[in-house]
Amino acid sequence: MLMETQFAMSMADILCYGTTQMSDNDRGLLGCMMQRLATGEPVQYVLGEALFAGRSFHVEPGVLIPRPETETLCQWVHDTCHTPTPTILDIGCGSGCIAITLALDIAGAQVSACDISATALKVTRQNAKALGANIRTMQIDILEMAHAGTKAGNWNKTFDIIVSNPPYICRSEADSMHQNVLSHEPHLALFVPDDNPLKFYNAIAFCSKEWLTPDGKLFLECNPAHLDETAEMLHSHGFGNVEAKKDLFYKNRHLKATRT
């Protein structure tokens, strides 16, 4: 992947000793990159890019690497959105992969993206500019917004669709995860306490009840181990028509709910 993306070498080139014909500068760059890979750093950080929904997104340490599972969530939003010029909010935007994909793939969409991380918002804006997406970005702590009340900070915007892929991995699950994720990707975007696995989902549901238009839709990526619990929580917040959808690996990972 590194050789193909960074140096435009195919497997055939590599097998035919194409590396022996590299310039001194490229050979030095390859050596540095290989040293980073040897430490377990994800190849996406080494390259500075990750593919998502057919587009290349810039990524860097401090921003979660987009996962292919999340492409299914974006496709679900796209396939079920029948509102002309829909207003969409992505909560916890990270690299901007969800917000930008929806802005580019849904005609007339007016997309906003928020995150607590200044690094994530910087990368989202960078990706939006590079890919030609017109989105609005805001620095928001969704937990604080839920605690202080949804009107905090003069927030009075309403949306037809809210989508989020918040942190949902319990700390006890860390032992089964690859070290390149644990040592390099931001724990702020990954983990929740074992005793409060729906920490972010409760806050998102609380705020979404205020921010969604009547019959507005909430789309969530979830931990499959807590999907039923998350669906019950949405019902308790007054959402209706809660539906589940499998990701591309056939795991129940996504939920859609309607503001009633």
Side-chain angles (χ1 to χ4, degrees):
M1 181 177 176
L2 186 152
M3 297 299 292
E4 180 180 6
T5 304
Q6 184 68 40
F7 301 102
M9 283 192 182
S10 67
M11 181 58 72
D13 293 328
I14 297 168
L15 293 175
C16 292
Y17 306 102
T19 54
T20 62
Q21 301 173 35
M22 296 174 73
S23 68
D24 289 342
N25 285 340
D26 281 351
R27 194 174 291 110
L29 177 59
L30 175 60
C32 292
M33 289 179 140
M34 289 176 66
Q35 287 179 358
R36 292 173 65 183
L37 288 175
T39 68
E41 185 174 356
V43 65
Q44 292 90 343
Y45 286 158
V46 175
L47 289 169
E49 65 180 87
L51 289 177
F52 183 85
R55 299 183 179 94
S56 178
F57 286 79
H58 170 68
V59 291
E60 62 186 56
V63 172
L64 193 70
I65 297 168
R67 266 55 171 185
E69 299 95 306
T70 309
E71 295 181 17
T72 308
L73 182 66
C74 291
Q75 189 64 49
W76 198 13
V77 176
H78 175 273
D79 292 346
T80 57
C81 178
H82 306 298
T83 305
T85 62
T87 51
I88 301 173
L89 173 65
D90 175 18
I91 298 177
C93 56
S95 65
C97 62
I98 293 176
I100 292 167
T101 297
L102 297 179
L104 294 175
D105 289 352
I106 298 178
Q110 302 171 39
V111 180
S112 300
C114 66
D115 205 293
I116 190 175
S117 166
T119 299
L121 292 171
K122 179 199 73 172
V123 171
T124 290
R125 288 191 289 267
Q126 180 177 341
N127 280 323
K129 182 177 180 180
L131 292 168
N134 183 20
I135 65 172
R136 176 190 179 201
T137 59
M138 301 152 290
Q139 188 167 22
I140 288 176
D141 181 346
I142 193 66
L143 298 177
E144 179 59 30
M145 290 291 278
H147 176 74
T150 56
K151 296 297 185 183
N154 296 319
W155 180 263
N156 56 7
K157 183 71 173 176
T158 56
F159 300 91
D160 300 308
I161 294 170
I162 293 177
V163 59
S164 184
N165 176 21
Y168 59 67
I169 301 172
C170 291
R171 289 283 176 182
S172 58
E173 298 178 74
D175 290 342
S176 63
M177 296 174 66
H178 291 293
Q179 197 59 39
N180 63 337
V181 175
L182 293 174
S183 297
H184 296 278
E185 295 200 64
H187 287 201
L188 180 67
L190 289 170
F191 292 109
V192 289
D194 286 358
D195 61 355
N196 191 10
L198 304 188
K199 176 180 178 179
F200 288 95
Y201 294 93
N202 269 298
I204 291 167
F206 177 83
C207 293
S208 295
K209 281 291 288 184
E210 182 69 31
W211 296 342
L212 280 169
T213 56
D215 293 322
K217 301 297 188 290
L218 173 62
F219 291 82
L220 297 170
E221 181 164 318
C222 308
N223 186 332
H226 298 285
L227 187 117
D228 291 341
E229 186 181 351
T230 307
E232 291 174 7
M233 178 274 297
L234 291 173
H235 282 298
S236 73
H237 278 281
F239 284 88
N241 301 320
V242 179
E243 302 175 42
K245 188 175 184 65
K246 297 182 186 297
D247 64 19
L248 76 169
F249 301 114
Y250 302 102
K251 290 187 176 182
N252 281 318
R253 191 178 298 274
H254 307 304
L255 287 174
K256 174 168 72 78
T258 302
R259 181 188 183 276
T260 57

